[in-house]
Amino acid sequence: MTESTPLRLDLDRSSPVPLYHQLASAIEAAIADGQLAPGTSLENEIALAARLGISRPTARQALKSLVDRGLLVRRRGVGTQVAPAQIHRSVGLTSLYDDLAGAGRRPATELLEWQPVEASAEVAAELEVEPGAPVVMVRRLRTADGEPIALLTNYLPEHLAPPAEDLERTGLYECLRARGTQPAVARQRIGARVATAAEARALGEGARSAVLTAVRVAFDDAGRAIESGHHVYRASVYAFETTMFAR
């Protein structure tokens, strides 16, 4: 979180444009040109109204309009901040690590867990093995430029699982390719829900924040299931993109 010197905001009281709209537009312009960087804290509506000589409802309406558009976020105990830059990810068979690096971000991984487990009925069905078969469960926290982005939980057949130290350095798919396994196709289901308390803490979000979810099963070029992923993404900074064609 960063703080900024209060912006110089000039409002034209003789203009037919409502003051709240003028104020919102000025703040939006400051965000667009970099005067207000992601994470910058803004004055609260009381301080803003007092400084500009406007009513508190006018200041509140201006800030709310920017919150509603995703340009500002309000966090309990923190206040109003410029929203993080949104990460847009195309729905393709790529790893989040590679997508972030390709977008000019600085990805990093914190390995939270790497352990052999017995496949649950759900994981067994996804990996096309018998329930109770040995698999490796990997749980990671993925960050971009030091900011939490996603919690990634993957299950892999034991013989395909990359070493823990490799997963701390690069993405899962790159690790698989380096070991001779080529991801070729995947099934993916995208959803949304409220974060658990543990997920919210790990992702730096408030209680009951919205998260995006993705369940993916990837297959190699021979049609064998090579990994199943159960991923949780911060909805405040992350979005999936798809391209659609007329049929």
Side-chain angles (χ1 to χ4, degrees), residues 12 15 26 33 47 62 75 89 91 124 128 137 165 174 177 180 191 193 230 243:
D12 183 357
S15 170
D33 67 16
R75 303 185 192 277
R89 183 182 182 189
V91 179
E128 301 174 351
M137 186 273 288
E165 56 269 22
E174 182 59 33
R177 286 191 288 266
R193 59 173 171 80
H230 297 246
T243 299

Side-chain angles (χ1 to χ4, degrees), residues 209-227:
S209 294
V211 291
L212 297 174
T213 63
V215 178
R216 174 189 287 191
V217 181
F219 302 85
D220 65 11
D221 48 14
R224 294 178 292 246
I226 57 174
E227 67 97 7

Side-chain angles (χ1 to χ4, degrees), residues 19-36:
L19 290 176
Y20 87 87
H21 187 77
Q22 292 185 46
L23 177 55
S25 297
I27 295 173
E28 180 179 359
I31 293 171
D33 67 16
Q35 291 183 65
L36 290 175

